[in-house]
Amino acid sequence: QTSFYGRFRHFLDIIDPRTLFVTESRLKEAVQLLEDYKHGTLPPGVTNKELWGAQKIKQAIIHPDTNETIFMPFRMSGMVVGLLLPNQTLASTVFWQWLNQSHNACVNYANRNATKPSPTSKFIQGYLGAVISAVSIAVGLNVLVQRANKFTPATRLLIQRFVPFPAVASANICNVVLMRHTELEEGIDVLDNNGNIVGSSRIAAKHALLETALTRVVLPMPILVLPPIIMSILEKTSLLRSRPRMILPVQSLVCLAAFGLALPLAISLFPQMSEVST
């Protein structure tokens, strides 16, 4: 995972939607297989492919700090596609922004840096800040677009489809900073080359928060920019014009493809274990 390509391949495995449906018994088998490998007690006949499969399952489901199972909807392979539905009303905009930020808050908490305990009040503060910022920006931009008389109805609709991106990007930053603000005050654990904790650093916390915030800005770009462009083209085809009920399934498939590209692309920007100079 020292190169961007290596990290991209690694995270492409982690976001595999199939890991959402791994049973408890299969998870235990994967963890046990890795433990056997670590202690040199592997049963005969175990292949490299099986070991990598076990590693994929563990990294997608088990939190690296707490070794606890991450609740299924809040793993990295979960997604929300309602933000990209066409012809949204004010009520639907508010609902989907609220649902998306609720999901984001839970994902942030479930995949947090757990080396330092954080009070529940910080989680609530981050959640409320993200929801308020996302909803206010999305609604404000929608109102501005509606009042822009210079745009044709078609242009106005196209612009409205891009409104979720600035709303989600700014809310993601707000969510991360508010929910992990304690780390800036108390620092996070830093390790030596052997994995031993050597102290707590506020500089490392600032470094980690900045990388996480940048990742959360890059993450929604392909998801919220590519599908509107693709769907604006596909909706003009005779297939979708004659079968309007197909728009939502097609939209979901386009979003799934964009999500499959965007998530490993974004979280591969920086290594999981970053380095800072002493």
Side-chain angles (χ1 to χ4, degrees), residues 206-217:
K206 183 179 179 181
H207 187 79
L209 234 63
L210 178 62
E211 290 188 353
T212 304
L214 288 173
T215 297
R216 298 303 166 87
V217 172

Side-chain angles (χ1 to χ4, degrees), residues 63 104-113 118-120 123 179:
H63 193 287
N104 281 351
C106 292
V107 168
N108 284 343
Y109 182 79
N111 297 276
R112 69 196 183 283
N113 183 322
S118 182
T120 307
F123 172 78
M179 289 188 68

